[in-house]
Amino acid sequence: MNSKVKNVNEYTRELKIDYSWDEVKSDFNRNLKNFSKKIKIPGFRSGKIPKDRLLQQFKPNLEADFVDNYLNKYYLIALKELDLKPVNQAEINDLKFYMESELSFSAKFEIEPINKLPRFKSNMIDVQKTHYVHDSKDIDDAIIQLKRSHARIETIDSGAEEGDFVVCSLQKLDESGLPIIGKKYDKQYLKVGAGSFTDDQKEKLIGIKPNEKIILTLPVNKNGEKAQYEVVVDSVDREVLPELDNKFIKMINPDLASIDALKNDVEEKIKSNFEERSKQSFEQELIDKVIQKVDPIFAPSMVENYLDNIVKDIKDQNKARDNEVSDDEIRNQYRKTAEKNIKWYSIRKLIIDQENISADNNNINSEIDNLVKKSPDSEKEIRKFYKNPSNRKKIEDSIIENKILDYLKQFIKVKVVEVETKELRNEGKDHE
């Protein structure tokens, strides 16, 4: 075999390959025998047609059939010999083959480009870390959510109040106020004073009772278009929260003995949640800054392959839905994310190789033990789950990711910013 590699750019290679007749002869004869079994010629049994007769009548077909069946084999042999690993399907050009002559072709493909890490120094990466300052409102809101998770629903015969759920049918009306056939929706839940309702609509719902009718103007899409609906009330349901007493506290956690103990427990969970939120935000900013600093080159096909998987996942999720988006819309929406993740993948590999980072079975088993300690009642399910190799691989990847981040933290300059949680609540209100 003669081969020549041309570097088109950092990630594109063009490989010119020549195989002599002697190198392909045995495969050609083997393919000829298989070909003869598929041919029927009067007077000859299948597979017993003389070679001369086959060549006389089917030589161009034999040559084409050989190329179809064996070209990939010779392409892979050349890649292995040259230690090349394409990340996409090759574009084959200049293909030539005739019996008793050489097989030659060129293959153009992309590879994962070679990147290098910069020399990391102390304080070379500025990263912000958020310290969240919670308040009593966070604790009160959390306790209300706990109460709601144990609330009961009562059907109310008297008029609806703000916060109640109106169970009703919605009949869409045309511009003249007549019902549109096929546009009636039964068993709809409208929360009084919530969602997309204006103050005027809220006032119409307050006091409404079963079997009563009203006309509401409601949005029909995200563009702000509205239509009139006749609302016929089936029932009014009210959420009744449990009292904050010892019975409720024991229901939440049998180890707690008082309201103060419950509030302390809730506060610890709030702190933990905000600390985790801060950690995730901090680590993501660190990753983003490192990507900006290194700015590795990537082959376009690596991004396209990544997007292929995203498109497949989203299509699978949307099979039962009517609002299916096009492949191009999905690719456009996720392209920047795909490019960033491919860059981080390249940087991870470089750091792993440079620092000899790995996660052995002891590391993985220790992490599983930690998960069991956090949820001792679920030990059997946890250990069974992580017997699956793919699930163990996720833990291994997580351990390696943490080791990479620990390595990078040596070179950062941290700016701590305090954020009061009431600011987050106000932002939430602004987006409602």
Side-chain angles (χ1 to χ4, degrees), residues 275-292:
E275 285 171 3
E276 181 61 25
R277 178 173 176 171
S278 175
K279 177 176 178 288
Q280 290 179 1
S281 176
F282 169 76
E283 291 179 348
Q284 186 57 60
E285 184 175 347
L286 171 57
I287 289 170
D288 291 343
K289 291 289 183 68
V290 172
I291 290 172
Q292 291 175 15

Side-chain angles (χ1 to χ4, degrees), residues 19-75:
Y19 284 93
S20 69
W21 168 247
D22 287 340
E23 289 175 300
V24 302
K25 182 178 179 179
S26 61
D27 282 335
F28 181 84
N29 289 331
R30 190 177 298 110
N31 193 73
L32 185 147
K33 288 181 181 178
N34 292 330
F35 183 89
S36 70
K37 295 175 183 178
K38 299 181 286 184
I39 299 300
K40 292 184 180 180
I41 297 179
F44 297 98
R45 287 184 297 163
S46 177
K48 300 296 181 180
I49 304 170
K51 181 177 178 180
D52 290 346
R53 180 64 183 272
L54 279 171
L55 291 173
Q56 178 185 359
Q57 192 167 346
F58 298 105
K59 185 178 179 184
N61 305 78
L62 280 163
E63 291 166 343
D65 191 64
F66 168 71
V67 168
D68 286 344
N69 292 329
Y70 282 89
L71 180 65
N72 192 55
K73 172 185 175 179
Y74 293 116
Y75 169 59

Side-chain angles (χ1 to χ4, degrees), residues 52-307:
D52 290 346
R53 180 64 183 272
L54 279 171
L55 291 173
Q56 178 185 359
Q57 192 167 346
F58 298 105
K59 185 178 179 184
N61 305 78
L62 280 163
E63 291 166 343
D65 191 64
F66 168 71
V67 168
D68 286 344
N69 292 329
Y70 282 89
L71 180 65
N72 192 55
K73 172 185 175 179
Y74 293 116
Y75 169 59
L76 294 177
I77 289 172
L79 291 177
K80 185 175 181 180
E81 186 170 308
L82 297 166
D83 194 25
L84 291 169
K85 297 175 182 178
V87 294
N88 67 330
Q89 188 171 348
E91 176 187 322
I92 304 297
N93 295 301
D94 303 323
L95 175 60
K96 294 178 183 177
F97 173 70
Y98 299 101
M99 180 182 168
E100 298 183 346
S101 182
E102 66 180 13
L103 167 66
S104 65
F105 60 93
S106 68
K108 192 174 182 180
F109 51 86
E110 292 179 357
I111 62 167
E112 189 176 324
I114 297 174
N115 287 291
K116 291 183 179 179
L117 291 172
R119 183 181 176 187
F120 288 112
K121 300 177 183 178
S122 298
N123 299 324
M124 72 179 292
I125 304 169
D126 294 326
V127 185
Q128 179 175 299
K129 187 168 187 178
T130 304
H131 173 64
Y132 292 102
V133 182
H134 69 279
D135 55 28
S136 59
K137 182 74 164 56
D138 292 310
I139 299 172
D140 293 340
D141 289 345
I143 290 175
I144 288 173
Q145 290 303 316
L146 284 174
K147 292 170 75 174
R148 280 182 174 159
S149 67
H150 292 82
R152 71 179 192 277
I153 301 297
E154 286 185 0
T155 299
I156 307 300
D157 293 329
S158 58
E161 297 177 1
E162 186 164 358
D164 288 345
F165 290 91
V166 175
V167 185
C168 60
S169 63
L170 297 176
Q171 172 63 64
K172 190 175 182 180
L173 307 176
D174 62 20
E175 293 180 357
S176 64
L178 294 174
I180 300 174
I181 296 174
K183 295 295 182 179
K184 184 180 179 183
Y185 309 97
D186 293 323
K187 296 297 179 184
Q188 301 298 303
Y189 285 78
L190 307 181
K191 188 173 183 180
V192 180
S196 58
F197 299 111
T198 64
D199 289 339
D200 179 59
Q201 290 163 336
K202 180 177 74 173
E203 291 304 318
K204 288 182 179 180
L205 287 172
I206 287 178
I208 200 167
K209 299 177 181 178
N211 301 318
E212 291 185 345
K213 300 179 183 180
I214 56 170
I215 303 295
L216 287 182
T217 301
L218 305 176
V220 294
N221 56 37
K222 294 180 180 179
N223 298 325
E225 294 181 31
K226 296 181 179 180
Q228 283 196 324
Y229 289 83
E230 181 184 63
V231 180
V232 180
V233 179
D234 297 324
S235 64
V236 178
D237 292 343
R238 180 167 297 165
E239 183 182 51
V240 181
L241 303 182
E243 292 294 327
L244 184 57
D245 53 21
N246 286 334
K247 180 181 178 182
F248 172 73
I249 292 169
K250 291 299 181 184
M251 188 189 307
I252 297 299
N253 186 340
D255 296 331
L256 302 177
S258 66
I259 293 175
D260 286 340
L262 174 63
K263 288 184 176 181
N264 290 336
D265 185 62
V266 166
E267 185 172 21
E268 287 304 312
K269 288 183 170 63
I270 289 171
K271 287 180 181 178
S272 177
N273 288 337
F274 277 118
E275 285 171 3
E276 181 61 25
R277 178 173 176 171
S278 175
K279 177 176 178 288
Q280 290 179 1
S281 176
F282 169 76
E283 291 179 348
Q284 186 57 60
E285 184 175 347
L286 171 57
I287 289 170
D288 291 343
K289 291 289 183 68
V290 172
I291 290 172
Q292 291 175 15
K293 184 73 67 176
V294 179
D295 194 21
I297 301 165
F298 58 86
S301 60
M302 295 173 71
V303 173
E304 298 308 319
N305 293 340
Y306 191 99
L307 289 171

